[in-house]
Amino acid sequence: MMAAERGAAANTLSAYRRDLCGAQETIGPLAEAAREDVARLAAAWAALAPSSAARKASALRQFYGFLVDEGERGDDPSAALPRPRARRPLPRLLGHDDIAALFTRAEEEAAGNAREAVRLLALLELLYGSGLRATELVSLPFSAVPRDAPFLTVTGKGGQQRMVPVSNRARAALSRWIALRGGAEAVGGRFLFPSTGRDGHLTRVRLFQLLRALALRAGIAPERISPHVLRHAFATHLLEGGADLRVLQTLLGHADIATTQIYTHVDSARLVALVNARHPLGQARGAQARAALAAAPPGV
């Protein structure tokens, strides 16, 4: 049902399967579990982060809802599941200086036209310049490369297609990469970024590793970098520049604008910090606090 009716992505299906199998290992066959059995999951999930417990509970609620709809059960025991309050964390951010450092290093390394360096520059341009998800990027077919129109046709979550803009910089980087990669007849010709040494495309894990290695060489803490962090930077910096939230939703491929609205909180946090740092009252209070601390007796 999740695949055929909702069009859930492969990663989503895999996550649901893991959650349901994990619950079954704890309480036995899920289809036969009583309300008391389901209630035991709260203790089993006690050590989990609220967001993880909420995700597992959601998977089970949907599972039992499906059984009721199909007539497999006459009752729904999911009311006994815990309801942890999972706060959506603000995305990790990269400032403009960090982005500049990443691109400077990538461009320096690609200056010699080495195949791996040019590929990494093209990947970086598409992550930050078009806001692609990691899976969308590595699985891009060669046929998605723009010829006349400056757009990529991307297949996102649930098999939904959307068009995303490709900047002049990204198009130039892609042209350099294709010249080294070869055309559609090259090894791995189906994919824009084929895997090395096997049929298929570059993996998400390898993309993650390449970006963290680049960050280290650029003088940025590697743990601050990931493909999704660059997607966040794309969205945040567009919003800072005045992009409309609905346009941003379309570019990111969000089914629900509530998902896109997280970036308004990011921008609001930046504005609060700006007011505290630049507003005369904020500066005056900061100066008073520093003066009081300097006048305090030792040890206070």
Side-chain angles (χ1 to χ4, degrees), residues 48-72:
L48 297 177
S51 58
S52 297
R55 189 199 69 237
K56 291 176 180 292
S58 175
L60 279 169
R61 286 191 186 94
Q62 294 184 61
F63 175 73
Y64 284 117
F66 171 78
L67 292 183
V68 171
D69 290 343
E70 294 293 309
E72 299 293 330

Short mmCIF file of all heavy atoms in Angstrom, two decimals, residues 48-72:
data_model
loop_
_atom_site.label_atom_id
_atom_site.label_comp_id
_atom_site.label_asym_id
_atom_site.label_seq_id
_atom_site.Cartn_x
_atom_site.Cartn_y
_atom_site.Cartn_z
N LEU A 48 15.35 5.96 23.64
CA LEU A 48 15.46 6.58 22.32
C LEU A 48 15.21 8.08 22.39
O LEU A 48 14.54 8.57 23.30
CB LEU A 48 14.46 5.96 21.35
CG LEU A 48 14.63 4.46 21.02
CD1 LEU A 48 13.50 4.01 20.10
CD2 LEU A 48 15.98 4.19 20.38
N ALA A 49 15.71 8.77 21.42
CA ALA A 49 15.40 10.19 21.28
C ALA A 49 13.91 10.33 20.97
O ALA A 49 13.33 9.45 20.32
CB ALA A 49 16.23 10.82 20.16
N PRO A 50 13.27 11.41 21.42
CA PRO A 50 11.84 11.58 21.15
C PRO A 50 11.49 11.47 19.67
O PRO A 50 10.45 10.91 19.32
CB PRO A 50 11.54 12.97 21.70
CG PRO A 50 12.57 13.18 22.77
CD PRO A 50 13.80 12.48 22.28
N SER A 51 12.35 11.99 18.81
CA SER A 51 12.06 11.94 17.38
C SER A 51 12.06 10.50 16.86
O SER A 51 11.24 10.14 16.02
CB SER A 51 13.08 12.78 16.61
OG SER A 51 14.40 12.32 16.86
N SER A 52 12.98 9.66 17.38
CA SER A 52 13.03 8.26 16.94
C SER A 52 11.80 7.50 17.42
O SER A 52 11.21 6.72 16.67
CB SER A 52 14.31 7.60 17.47
OG SER A 52 15.46 8.21 16.94
N ALA A 53 11.44 7.71 18.70
CA ALA A 53 10.26 7.03 19.23
C ALA A 53 9.00 7.48 18.49
O ALA A 53 8.11 6.66 18.20
CB ALA A 53 10.12 7.32 20.72
N ALA A 54 8.90 8.77 18.16
CA ALA A 54 7.74 9.28 17.44
C ALA A 54 7.66 8.66 16.05
O ALA A 54 6.57 8.33 15.56
CB ALA A 54 7.82 10.80 17.34
N ARG A 55 8.80 8.48 15.38
CA ARG A 55 8.80 7.87 14.04
C ARG A 55 8.34 6.42 14.11
O ARG A 55 7.55 5.96 13.30
CB ARG A 55 10.21 7.94 13.45
CG ARG A 55 10.28 7.53 11.98
CD ARG A 55 11.68 7.17 11.54
NE ARG A 55 12.11 5.92 12.17
CZ ARG A 55 13.21 5.82 12.91
NH1 ARG A 55 13.96 6.87 13.15
NH2 ARG A 55 13.55 4.65 13.42
N LYS A 56 8.84 5.66 15.09
CA LYS A 56 8.45 4.26 15.24
C LYS A 56 6.95 4.15 15.56
O LYS A 56 6.25 3.29 15.01
CB LYS A 56 9.28 3.60 16.35
CG LYS A 56 10.75 3.42 16.00
CD LYS A 56 11.52 2.85 17.17
CE LYS A 56 12.98 2.67 16.85
NZ LYS A 56 13.21 1.62 15.82
N ALA A 57 6.46 5.02 16.44
CA ALA A 57 5.04 5.00 16.79
C ALA A 57 4.18 5.33 15.56
O ALA A 57 3.12 4.72 15.35
CB ALA A 57 4.76 5.98 17.92
N SER A 58 4.63 6.25 14.75
CA SER A 58 3.89 6.62 13.53
C SER A 58 3.80 5.43 12.58
O SER A 58 2.74 5.18 11.98
CB SER A 58 4.57 7.80 12.84
OG SER A 58 3.95 8.10 11.62
N ALA A 59 4.90 4.70 12.43
CA ALA A 59 4.89 3.53 11.55
C ALA A 59 3.87 2.50 12.03
O ALA A 59 3.12 1.92 11.23
CB ALA A 59 6.28 2.91 11.49
N LEU A 60 3.81 2.29 13.34
CA LEU A 60 2.87 1.30 13.88
C LEU A 60 1.43 1.78 13.77
O LEU A 60 0.51 0.98 13.49
CB LEU A 60 3.22 1.00 15.34
CG LEU A 60 4.36 0.00 15.53
CD1 LEU A 60 4.82 -0.04 16.97
CD2 LEU A 60 3.95 -1.39 15.09
N ARG A 61 1.19 3.07 13.99
CA ARG A 61 -0.17 3.59 13.85
C ARG A 61 -0.68 3.38 12.42
O ARG A 61 -1.84 3.00 12.20
CB ARG A 61 -0.22 5.06 14.23
CG ARG A 61 -0.11 5.31 15.72
CD ARG A 61 -0.43 6.75 16.09
NE ARG A 61 -0.17 6.96 17.51
CZ ARG A 61 0.97 7.43 18.00
NH1 ARG A 61 1.95 7.76 17.17
NH2 ARG A 61 1.13 7.56 19.30
N GLN A 62 0.18 3.65 11.47
CA GLN A 62 -0.23 3.47 10.08
C GLN A 62 -0.44 1.99 9.75
O GLN A 62 -1.34 1.63 8.98
CB GLN A 62 0.81 4.10 9.15
CG GLN A 62 0.87 5.61 9.29
CD GLN A 62 1.83 6.24 8.30
OE1 GLN A 62 1.65 6.12 7.10
NE2 GLN A 62 2.85 6.92 8.80
N PHE A 63 0.38 1.14 10.35
CA PHE A 63 0.25 -0.30 10.12
C PHE A 63 -1.09 -0.81 10.65
O PHE A 63 -1.83 -1.53 9.95
CB PHE A 63 1.40 -1.03 10.80
CG PHE A 63 1.29 -2.54 10.73
CD1 PHE A 63 1.53 -3.22 9.55
CD2 PHE A 63 0.97 -3.27 11.86
CE1 PHE A 63 1.42 -4.60 9.49
CE2 PHE A 63 0.88 -4.65 11.82
CZ PHE A 63 1.11 -5.32 10.62
N TYR A 64 -1.43 -0.42 11.89
CA TYR A 64 -2.69 -0.88 12.46
C TYR A 64 -3.89 -0.23 11.77
O TYR A 64 -4.95 -0.86 11.62
CB TYR A 64 -2.71 -0.63 13.97
CG TYR A 64 -1.86 -1.63 14.72
CD1 TYR A 64 -0.74 -1.22 15.44
CD2 TYR A 64 -2.17 -2.99 14.68
CE1 TYR A 64 0.04 -2.16 16.10
CE2 TYR A 64 -1.39 -3.92 15.35
CZ TYR A 64 -0.28 -3.50 16.05
OH TYR A 64 0.51 -4.43 16.70
N GLY A 65 -3.74 1.00 11.33
CA GLY A 65 -4.81 1.63 10.55
C GLY A 65 -5.07 0.87 9.26
O GLY A 65 -6.22 0.70 8.83
N PHE A 66 -3.99 0.40 8.64
CA PHE A 66 -4.11 -0.40 7.42
C PHE A 66 -4.85 -1.70 7.69
O PHE A 66 -5.73 -2.11 6.93
CB PHE A 66 -2.72 -0.68 6.85
CG PHE A 66 -2.70 -1.66 5.72
CD1 PHE A 66 -3.06 -1.28 4.44
CD2 PHE A 66 -2.32 -2.98 5.94
CE1 PHE A 66 -3.05 -2.18 3.39
CE2 PHE A 66 -2.31 -3.89 4.89
CZ PHE A 66 -2.68 -3.49 3.62
N LEU A 67 -4.50 -2.39 8.81
CA LEU A 67 -5.15 -3.65 9.14
C LEU A 67 -6.65 -3.46 9.38
O LEU A 67 -7.47 -4.28 8.95
CB LEU A 67 -4.51 -4.27 10.39
CG LEU A 67 -3.07 -4.78 10.24
CD1 LEU A 67 -2.62 -5.43 11.55
CD2 LEU A 67 -2.93 -5.76 9.09
N VAL A 68 -7.01 -2.37 10.05
CA VAL A 68 -8.43 -2.09 10.30
C VAL A 68 -9.15 -1.80 8.98
O VAL A 68 -10.25 -2.32 8.73
CB VAL A 68 -8.58 -0.91 11.28
CG1 VAL A 68 -10.04 -0.48 11.38
CG2 VAL A 68 -8.06 -1.30 12.67
N ASP A 69 -8.52 -0.98 8.13
CA ASP A 69 -9.15 -0.65 6.84
C ASP A 69 -9.36 -1.88 5.98
O ASP A 69 -10.35 -1.97 5.23
CB ASP A 69 -8.29 0.36 6.08
CG ASP A 69 -8.29 1.74 6.72
OD1 ASP A 69 -9.20 1.99 7.54
OD2 ASP A 69 -7.39 2.54 6.42
N GLU A 70 -8.42 -2.83 6.07
CA GLU A 70 -8.51 -4.04 5.25
C GLU A 70 -9.39 -5.11 5.88
O GLU A 70 -9.55 -6.20 5.30
CB GLU A 70 -7.10 -4.61 5.02
CG GLU A 70 -6.20 -3.71 4.18
CD GLU A 70 -6.68 -3.60 2.75
OE1 GLU A 70 -6.92 -4.65 2.11
OE2 GLU A 70 -6.84 -2.46 2.26
N GLY A 71 -9.91 -4.85 7.07
CA GLY A 71 -10.76 -5.82 7.73
C GLY A 71 -10.00 -6.95 8.39
O GLY A 71 -10.59 -7.97 8.76
N GLU A 72 -8.69 -6.78 8.57
CA GLU A 72 -7.88 -7.81 9.21
C GLU A 72 -8.00 -7.77 10.73
O GLU A 72 -7.69 -8.75 11.41
CB GLU A 72 -6.41 -7.65 8.80
CG GLU A 72 -6.15 -7.80 7.31
CD GLU A 72 -6.41 -9.23 6.83
OE1 GLU A 72 -6.23 -10.17 7.63
OE2 GLU A 72 -6.82 -9.40 5.66
#
